[in-house]
Amino acid sequence: MATSSLQGRCLRAHVAFRAPRSSEAQNLKQNWTLCLRNRAYPGHRSLLSKAQPSKLNQGRCIQLQRKIVAQAVESSTAAPQSETPAAENGAEEKKGRRRPGEAKGFVEEMRIKAMKLHTRGQAKDGEAQEKETQQKPLPQWKPTVEGYIQFLVDSKAVYDTMEAIVDKAPHQSYAEFRNTGLERTGPLSKDLEHFRSEGYSIPEPTEAGLTYSKLLEELSESNPQAFICHFYNVYFAHSAGGRMIGRKVSEMILEGRELEFYKWDGELSELLDKVKLKINEVSNDWTREEKDKCLQETELSFKYSGSLLKLLANT
């Protein structure tokens, strides 16, 4: 429809708009929404032609009509639309829609994504079904000291790899995560040495730890966003659920002894907050597509971390 013709109809309609009944009001509201979203909506003309003389709802009508006029003026200078403008507009809306937690920073998006992969029993925001997770409920675990040691050995292999990558920094942004206070290689070495002094044999890493370490090395070179996803989930999961699991297992087989693996120098919450800030700063340089790829890596991170926990659970 030509701009001048549409504008004239709108201006006449806003002073001759019938006050609708409740059911009609809902239909008109939906039609106006479609008009605003899609300039090619076929009900545009018929909607205007149904206007009846009335002074009721004039203010609301004027506001809506002016929006339609503005949309029409824009369309007169816009590039030709495709045959499916509604679909295109819907795709644009979806592309521009804020992700959950986006307003608070990218770390909040990562946290929300991770929480959804928990079961409701593990986290209040959990959405995963019990059968979808690799990890059995803690009461069903049958841990042994030997299994615990193997878990520590494989965990150390993963932390060794991750911390070496950060020190080497094949991507400049990794350097931001040096000396965060969250490093676990040192504490794990102390724990394993303590078990050795008690007469326990310290095994080599299993396929679980070696496979995860190899993946991290590959991602650190080819996909920095994915690597940061693993970095976040490994360290932050250990500081939360990992601590709880460690305490429970220690009560079951170590008479409640707290390992160095679950101790930090300084206030843990402050250390975590500093790393969150660094991740948010680094991710500010990412495109939306790169951020989404990072979030998509969360499931793989859970999968590999779960393979380590199986060594501890011994189920």
Side-chain angles (χ1 to χ4, degrees):
M1 181 183 296
T3 301
S4 58
S5 176
L6 177 60
Q7 185 175 18
R9 279 186 153 236
C10 289
L11 293 175
R12 288 196 300 274
H14 82 244
V15 294
F17 199 88
R18 177 172 57 89
R21 295 188 298 272
S22 58
S23 61
E24 292 176 328
Q26 184 63 27
N27 290 334
L28 287 172
K29 180 180 179 181
Q30 293 174 353
N31 286 339
W32 282 121
T33 301
L34 288 170
C35 284
L36 291 171
R37 289 181 178 176
N38 178 9
R39 294 186 288 271
Y41 177 61
H44 202 158
R45 290 185 176 87
S46 63
L47 185 63
L48 291 173
S49 67
K50 292 180 180 178
Q52 300 285 337
S54 174
K55 293 183 180 180
L56 298 176
N57 294 330
Q58 184 175 354
R60 182 172 66 87
C61 181
I62 291 174
Q63 183 181 19
L64 290 171
Q65 299 291 356
R66 284 176 176 170
K67 288 182 179 180
I68 292 294
V69 172
Q71 193 79 352
V73 171
E74 180 184 344
S75 70
S76 66
T77 58
Q81 296 187 34
S82 67
E83 295 181 358
T84 57
E88 287 186 357
N89 290 342
E92 290 176 0
E93 282 186 10
K94 184 177 181 181
K95 184 177 180 181
R97 187 180 303 142
R98 277 187 175 274
R99 279 30 173 210
E102 184 176 359
K104 295 183 178 180
F106 186 60
V107 169
E108 180 65 9
E109 292 186 59
M110 299 174 80
R111 186 195 69 80
I112 291 173
K113 178 67 174 180
M115 288 298 101
K116 288 183 178 180
L117 294 179
H118 290 77
T119 64
R120 185 59 63 87
Q122 295 170 330
K124 65 179 182 179
D125 298 327
E127 295 182 0
Q129 300 297 319
E130 294 287 350
K131 62 182 180 181
E132 295 176 353
T133 63
Q134 295 184 345
Q135 185 178 322
K136 290 187 178 181
L138 190 57
Q140 297 180 22
W141 290 19
K142 301 175 183 178
T144 63
V145 175
E146 291 74 15
Y148 204 169
I149 292 174
Q150 187 67 69
F151 165 71
L152 296 176
V153 168
D154 281 56
S155 294
K156 184 175 182 298
V158 171
Y159 282 105
D160 281 346
T161 300
M162 193 169 289
E163 289 165 18
I165 289 170
V166 169
D167 285 339
K168 182 181 177 182
H171 285 271
Q172 186 176 359
S173 61
Y174 299 167
E176 296 291 330
F177 304 105
R178 294 172 181 161
N179 303 317
T180 63
L182 299 182
E183 292 79 12
R184 295 293 86 196
T185 297
L188 282 166
S189 296
K190 292 179 181 179
D191 286 330
L192 291 172
E193 185 57 36
H194 182 83
F195 279 113
R196 193 193 308 275
S197 69
E198 292 183 336
Y200 289 99
S201 175
I202 307 301
E204 294 296 317
T206 68
E207 189 68 20
L210 295 175
T211 301
Y212 197 8
S213 296
K214 182 179 180 181
L215 173 69
L216 291 172
E217 289 176 346
E218 293 173 352
L219 291 177
S220 69
E221 296 284 350
S222 62
N223 193 337
Q225 288 77 30
F227 175 76
I228 294 298
C229 176
H230 287 270
F231 179 93
Y232 166 80
N233 281 294
V234 167
Y235 284 101
F236 279 68
H238 176 65
S239 70
R243 295 169 67 197
M244 182 273 293
I245 291 172
R247 182 176 65 254
K248 292 294 184 182
V249 173
S250 178
E251 291 172 355
M252 297 167 74
I253 62 174
L254 297 178
E255 298 181 344
R257 189 180 84 202
E258 185 179 14
L259 300 186
E260 296 298 318
F261 190 28
Y262 304 100
K263 298 177 183 179
W264 288 264
D265 293 330
E267 188 64 35
L268 178 58
S269 61
E270 294 180 3
L271 298 176
L272 293 171
D273 285 343
K274 290 179 181 179
V275 174
K276 289 178 185 178
L277 180 61
K278 290 179 181 292
I279 294 176
N280 280 334
E281 290 175 348
V282 168
S283 64
N284 283 337
D285 295 330
W286 297 351
T287 65
R288 184 64 252 181
E289 182 180 5
E290 288 172 331
K291 289 180 179 180
D292 289 341
K293 287 182 178 179
C294 176
L295 296 176
Q296 291 169 7
E297 194 73 16
T298 306
E299 293 188 33
L300 197 60
S301 174
F302 270 54
K303 174 185 175 182
Y304 281 97
S305 295
S307 68
L308 300 184
L309 284 173
K310 283 185 175 181
L311 301 171
L312 177 58
N314 192 30
T315 54

